[in-house]
């Protein structure tokens, strides 16, 4: 079996175990949150008989391990239950809201990589000088405040004082949304050939994506700068300088790639963490994503939807980690071969 396939199989088996543990943990936590899910779902005007009937349907009177058994049985059949918040299957809700969150997170990831890495390279090239000091201050500001704080600041500045970006939503109300094919509004707009909808959706995603990415941009810049400064002290960098290579070539070819491995690990974790951190940004910008949906179902103690949302976000987190592991193994084969020899 090829080493990459073995590495992938090992990561997948670990991910399955982690997902089982997460499902057990969130299942238990969701049921110890104060409040009666049946009473919350039916409202204060429901009779005791109606509440008790719903409790029986949800198996809330059974011991928690029996409830978990029912959940595993339904999950094995591709059923996460009915959401008490929307009265629809949880999988239907996830299929509707997840693409919007992924679109936002992917755009934020592009900002994080496209801005953070070049800033880190520039800072390392000019270490100890004015560009380095300026980038370090900006990076520190980026990581010092959570994403929702930057969301409010950016909205006030770029949507109210300077009305350059829209305040809320995925697309302008005056523009007809394209037919849903993939669920990704930008992609569906291109498939439909509706450039007006595409540019409107692009305009709407810029500000929340940048707010979500600011912390990651600062983190990527600081890590890339620190790793490259350490790499500049290596003997082969001195040898490259003695051969007369330009500073840009040394930075991009000889210093950046060895420094990329630790930076890539943290960037991957930051990218995956955006799936969970997006809920406050989505709330600020009224973004119709899965994270915002997750907040609503938690407030209503919608047990099926809570477990389904957390499992999906956890699965996405694990998928990103697997992709990062494969990329690191591709960049540095010694990691892959070392992992194989230990196996």
């Amino acid at each position: 079996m090829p080493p990459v396939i073995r590495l992938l199989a090992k990561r997948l088996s670990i991910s399955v175990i982690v997902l089982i543990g997460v499902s057990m943990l969130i299942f238990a936590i969701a049921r110890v949150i104060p409040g009666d899910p049946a009473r919350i779902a039916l409202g204060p005007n429901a009779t005791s008989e109606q509440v008790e009937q719903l409790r029986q349907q949800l198996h809330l009177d059974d011991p928690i391990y029996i409830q978990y058994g029912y959940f595993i049985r339904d999950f094995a059949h591709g059923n996460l239950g009915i959401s008490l918040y929307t009265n629809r299957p949880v999988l239907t809700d996830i299929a509707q809201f997840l693409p919007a969150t992924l679109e936002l997170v992917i755009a934020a990831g592009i900002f994080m990589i496209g801005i953070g890495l070049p800033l880190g390279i520039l800072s390392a090239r000019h270490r100890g000088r004015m560009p380095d000091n300026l980038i370090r201050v900006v990076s520190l500001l980026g990581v010092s405040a959570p994403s929702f704080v930057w969301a409010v600041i950016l909205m006030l500045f770029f949507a109210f004082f300077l009305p350059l970006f829209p305040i809320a939503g995925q697309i302008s109300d005056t523009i007809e949304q394209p037919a849903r094919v993939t669920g990704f509004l930008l992609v569906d707009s291109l498939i439909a050939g509706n450039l007006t909808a595409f540019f409107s959706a692009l305009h709407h995603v810029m500000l929340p994506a940048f707010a979500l990415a600011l912390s990651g941009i600062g983190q990527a810049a600081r890590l890339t700068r620190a790793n490259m400064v350490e790499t500049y002290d290596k003997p082969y960098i001195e040898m490259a300088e003695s051969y007369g290579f330009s500073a840009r070539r040394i930075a991009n070819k000889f210093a950046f790639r060895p420094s990329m491995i630790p930076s890539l690990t943290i960037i991957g974790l930051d990218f995956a963490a955006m799936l969970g951190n997006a809920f406050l940004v989505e709330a600020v910008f009224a973004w119709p994503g899965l994270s915002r949906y997750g907040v609503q179902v938690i407030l209503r103690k919608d047990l099926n939807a809570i477990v389904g949302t957390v499992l999906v976000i956890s699965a996405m987190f694990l998928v990103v980690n697997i992709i990062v592991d494969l990329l690191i193994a591709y960049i540095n084969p010694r990691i892959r071969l070392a992992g194989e020899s230990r196996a």
Side-chain angles (χ1 to χ4, degrees):
M1 183 183 295
V4 174
I5 301 300
R6 291 188 179 182
L7 177 64
L8 179 60
K10 181 179 179 181
R11 294 294 185 269
L12 286 175
S13 60
I14 294 174
S15 298
V16 171
I17 297 174
V18 171
L19 276 180
I20 294 174
V22 169
S23 69
M24 296 174 66
L25 181 62
I26 193 60
F27 193 89
I29 292 176
R31 276 153 178 76
V32 299
I33 298 175
D36 185 354
R39 171 60 67 182
I40 296 173
L42 295 177
N45 296 325
T47 64
S48 300
E49 291 77 10
Q50 291 173 329
V51 173
E52 184 60 30
Q53 183 179 3
L54 183 58
R55 287 183 61 83
Q56 292 179 2
Q57 292 177 1
L58 299 175
H59 309 288
L60 295 178
D61 294 328
D62 296 327
I64 190 170
Y65 61 89
I66 294 180
Q67 296 181 45
Y68 185 73
Y70 282 119
F71 167 76
I72 293 297
R73 182 200 64 184
D74 294 339
F75 181 77
H77 291 85
N79 178 22
L80 290 176
I82 302 297
S83 169
L84 300 179
Y85 171 49
T86 62
N87 291 320
R88 297 186 304 180
V90 174
L91 284 177
T92 301
D93 289 340
I94 291 174
Q96 177 180 344
F97 295 115
L98 180 59
T101 294
L102 289 179
E103 198 167 59
L104 178 63
V105 170
I106 291 172
I110 293 173
F111 277 130
M112 180 175 63
I113 296 173
I115 298 176
L117 294 185
L119 284 180
I121 296 173
L122 182 63
S123 180
R125 282 183 56 190
H126 300 280
R127 57 194 182 279
R129 297 196 290 272
M130 189 273 292
D132 178 30
N133 296 330
L134 180 61
I135 292 173
R136 290 170 69 184
V137 170
V138 172
S139 301
L140 184 60
L141 288 175
V143 300
S144 62
S147 298
F148 73 92
V149 174
W150 287 119
V152 174
I153 293 173
L154 292 175
M155 175 181 285
L156 289 174
F157 193 78
F158 291 105
F160 287 100
F161 298 125
L162 296 176
L164 300 176
F165 292 94
I167 296 176
Q170 273 189 289
I171 194 172
S172 298
D173 295 334
T174 57
I175 298 176
E176 183 180 357
Q177 292 197 16
R180 185 182 178 92
V181 179
T182 65
F184 295 90
L185 190 55
L186 290 170
V187 177
D188 290 344
S189 300
L190 291 177
I191 292 175
N194 191 343
L195 295 181
T196 302
F198 172 80
F199 286 113
S200 177
L202 185 63
H203 194 206
H204 278 72
V205 79
M206 296 288 284
L207 203 58
F210 189 68
L212 185 61
L214 263 174
S215 178
I217 290 173
Q219 187 83 320
R222 296 176 70 217
L223 284 172
T224 303
R225 187 250 180 211
N227 294 326
M228 287 188 65
V229 167
E230 182 179 351
T231 304
Y232 270 117
D233 294 331
K234 302 294 183 181
Y236 64 85
I237 297 295
E238 297 180 2
M239 184 180 69
E241 291 174 344
S242 66
Y243 276 113
F245 290 112
S246 65
R248 175 176 294 183
R249 185 176 182 184
I250 291 174
N252 295 336
K253 185 171 183 179
F254 299 106
F256 175 65
R257 182 167 180 171
S259 306
M260 188 60 189
I261 294 175
S263 298
L264 185 60
T265 302
I266 302 301
I267 289 173
L269 292 175
D270 285 343
F271 182 83
M274 287 180 186
L275 290 165
N277 296 337
F279 68 95
L280 287 175
V281 175
E282 290 186 356
V284 171
F285 289 96
W287 191 264
L290 183 66
S291 297
R292 186 184 177 199
Y293 167 79
V295 174
Q296 298 299 323
V297 298
I298 289 173
L299 294 176
R300 290 164 173 79
K301 201 178 179 182
D302 188 346
L303 301 181
N304 293 331
I306 290 173
V307 176
T309 302
V310 173
L311 281 179
V312 168
I313 293 177
S314 301
M316 297 302 299
F317 193 97
L318 293 171
V319 168
V320 172
N321 281 322
I322 291 173
I323 294 174
V324 170
D325 288 340
L326 294 176
L327 287 175
I328 292 175
Y330 173 77
I331 295 174
N332 189 355
R334 291 178 298 178
I335 297 176
R336 180 184 66 243
L337 297 178
E340 181 188 6
S341 63
R342 287 195 297 268

